[in-house]
Amino acid sequence: MSKQVAPETNPAKEPVKPTAHFAGTHEQIARALSIAEFGVPAQAQPRSQGGVLIETGRDRLTLSTFDFQTAVSVTVPVETPVAKGYSLLDFAELKKALSATVAGETKKVAARTPVALAGDLLATEHIALPITTLDIHEFTHPPEATPAVVTVDAQHFLAQLNRVLRAAGRDDTLLTGVQMTLEGEKLTMTATDRYRCAVAEVPTTPAVKTPEEPMTTHIPGDVLGRLVKSLKFYDGLMGIGIVEGGVARTTLSMGDTTITMRSLEDRLPDLKALFPTECDLSVQIDRAAVVRAAKKCQALIKAKGENGAPVAFAWHGDKISLAPRIGTADDQARTKGMAIPSVNTHGSADVMRGRTLAFNPAFLLDALGTFTSDTLTLHLGRTVGPKPVLLTEGAEMAGAGYQHLLVPVRLAE
């Protein structure tokens, strides 16, 4: 009879003792945690992924989080021992506890309150309490940040990104992302949901040398939406690094902060052909007036219970009005639209004689909200129908770094 051999068993890994030590101010730590939260999953599986990895040593504190899609690393100069220390603490609990330690203090006093961590013990001069430690063996460490290929002005980048995000889809298709392409010394951001399309450009400066070939990444819109909110106060240069092969990812670096986002596998279709280069009529309109008119029309549509009805621009010679398209043909004939101040900058209004240009009111207001100038220009062709209408900030069809396409609503004859 052969000898039986007991199967090998893996001994349970010993819990890792938290060893991170630092001393800083409440403002420093709270600000770092607010950025690190960008990489904390809403529902962590395993639970350890809902933690923040704290690494200390050589007068630097680094907070790292990773939700399998987005990795965040924030480094803060604080007092620490020379030897390295590590603690994986429950992020939500740490953030709430940090806030609780300065309860009852003024904002000014709270900001400069000294805060220290010893392993898992959070302390101020008045109070101390242990924070829940998580199993570091179950924590999936974030991928390495991608070195910056180019740098951009952060505020300009975020402002242009915010404009493009309005056009990103909200469903489960590949149209929910924002595609970014680095080519030469320009970053182009594009988003579409089939009914509108937005394209914004940002000038770039090579970090080392200008990329020889275009580099493209496609980031989920919901991730970028949270990014805009988290970094809206960041001022300075932002580095952008892109990895296209393998695990495609994009890293945004801002000083001692890096945010690495996993790219979507698919890319947007080529949308260049949708943007017209010629038109029969360009009309400059007062943006604030159109916003007011569109809101009134939208409210009237709701008041009449005709949700889904469009708003329509109508031409009366060289004058334009905007009205809700509701009710019967007789009702529409009796409805008076709000006058919109306008100036023809190219072509003749005869192109629109006897015609209307209708839009989904929510989409129109979204588009208007992406512009910041007092006026914007509609570029129209002789065939309106479902053909997209180009909106730009200036009179040129190429736009001033931003173009927005809006598909009109086909009206029943």
Side-chain angles (χ1 to χ4, degrees):
M1 181 180 293
S2 61
K3 183 179 179 182
Q4 291 185 334
V5 179
E8 293 184 4
T9 58
N10 293 322
K13 293 183 179 180
E14 291 293 327
V16 176
K17 181 181 179 181
T19 56
H21 285 68
F22 69 76
T25 67
H26 186 276
E27 183 178 35
Q28 284 179 305
I29 311 308
R31 183 180 297 149
L33 283 175
S34 69
I35 298 174
E37 189 169 14
F38 190 67
V40 179
Q43 296 180 335
Q45 290 293 335
R47 187 188 171 201
S48 293
Q49 217 59 38
V52 54
L53 180 62
I54 302 175
E55 303 176 64
T56 59
R58 297 186 180 277
D59 292 333
R60 299 184 76 78
L61 154 70
T62 299
L63 305 176
S64 300
T65 55
F66 183 42
D67 66 1
F68 299 112
Q69 295 295 325
T70 305
V72 181
S73 174
V74 187
T75 300
V76 185
V78 294
E79 295 180 14
T80 71
V82 174
K84 289 186 176 182
Y86 302 87
S87 295
L88 182 65
L89 304 182
D90 184 288
F91 180 90
E93 183 179 313
L94 175 61
K95 183 181 178 183
K96 291 176 183 178
L98 182 68
S99 178
T101 59
V102 293
E105 308 289 357
T106 65
K107 288 186 178 180
K108 185 176 291 186
V109 171
R112 63 171 183 258
T113 297
V115 175
L117 181 78
D120 63 348
L121 189 67
L122 182 69
T124 67
E125 59 182 327
H126 300 296
I127 198 166
L129 75 163
I131 305 298
T132 299
T133 303
L134 301 178
D135 187 352
I136 201 169
H137 296 303
E138 293 185 352
F139 182 74
T140 300
H141 289 258
E144 290 187 7
T146 303
V149 179
V150 299
T151 60
V152 297
D153 178 84
Q155 282 302 307
H156 187 38
F157 168 82
L158 293 171
Q160 292 291 74
L161 173 59
N162 207 27
R163 299 171 105 177
V164 171
L165 278 169
R166 299 285 188 98
R170 304 290 189 270
D171 52 18
D172 295 327
T173 69
L174 63 87
L175 301 178
T176 57
V178 173
Q179 187 161 288
M180 301 183 188
T181 300
L182 281 173
E183 186 171 10
E185 296 187 358
K186 179 178 66 178
L187 172 69
T188 302
M189 295 182 278
T190 307
T192 183
D193 63 358
R194 297 185 297 273
Y195 304 106
R196 58 256 179 98
C197 178
V199 177
E201 297 176 352
V202 178
T204 65
T205 301
V208 180
K209 64 177 182 178
T210 303
E212 296 180 359
E213 298 290 336
M215 304 180 74
T216 298
T217 185
H218 194 192
I219 306 299
D222 59 342
V223 173
L224 292 172
R226 291 189 291 117
L227 174 74
V228 169
K229 293 178 181 178
S230 298
L231 301 178
K232 60 183 177 182
F233 298 118
Y234 178 77
D235 196 12
L237 292 179
M238 175 185 291
I240 301 177
I242 296 175
V243 172
E244 294 180 296
V247 180
R249 60 192 186 278
T250 302
T251 295
L252 303 181
S253 52
M254 300 139 285
D256 289 330
T257 297
T258 62
I259 298 177
T260 300
M261 299 164 287
R262 181 167 292 176
S263 304
L264 294 170
E265 294 182 2
D266 298 307
R267 293 188 180 184
L268 294 179
D270 188 359
L271 302 170
K272 292 180 182 178
L274 294 178
F275 286 82
T277 56
E278 296 179 351
C279 68
D280 296 298
L281 172 64
S282 293
V283 55
Q284 187 182 75
I285 56 179
D286 183 280
R287 188 173 69 91
V290 181
V291 169
R292 287 172 55 218
K295 288 183 176 179
K296 293 179 191 297
C297 292
Q298 190 178 47
L300 287 170
I301 289 171
K302 184 177 181 180
K304 293 285 286 185
E306 294 197 25
N307 294 337
V311 296
F313 288 97
W315 271 255
H316 317 279
D318 285 336
K319 296 182 179 180
I320 303 175
S321 65
L322 184 69
R325 189 82 174 187
I326 50 180
T328 63
D330 183 57
D331 291 335
Q332 293 170 17
R334 296 170 61 193
T335 299
K336 178 184 177 182
M338 179 173 168
I340 306 297
S342 63
V343 176
N344 294 339
T345 59
H346 171 74
S348 169
D350 289 342
V351 172
M352 297 302 298
R353 187 186 302 277
R355 296 162 58 188
T356 56
L357 182 63
F359 295 109
N360 176 307
F363 288 177
L364 176 60
L365 284 167
D366 263 354
L368 295 169
T370 66
F371 291 88
T372 57
S373 57
D374 293 336
T375 62
L376 58 90
T377 304
L378 300 178
H379 302 278
L380 309 170
R382 292 187 181 277
T383 304
V384 180
K387 189 175 181 180
V389 173
L390 176 63
L391 286 69
T392 62
E393 205 145 51
E396 299 298 323
M397 297 186 71
Y402 178 68
Q403 296 175 292
H404 196 107
L405 280 181
L406 197 55
V407 177
V409 174
R410 185 188 292 275
L411 297 176
E413 298 297 335

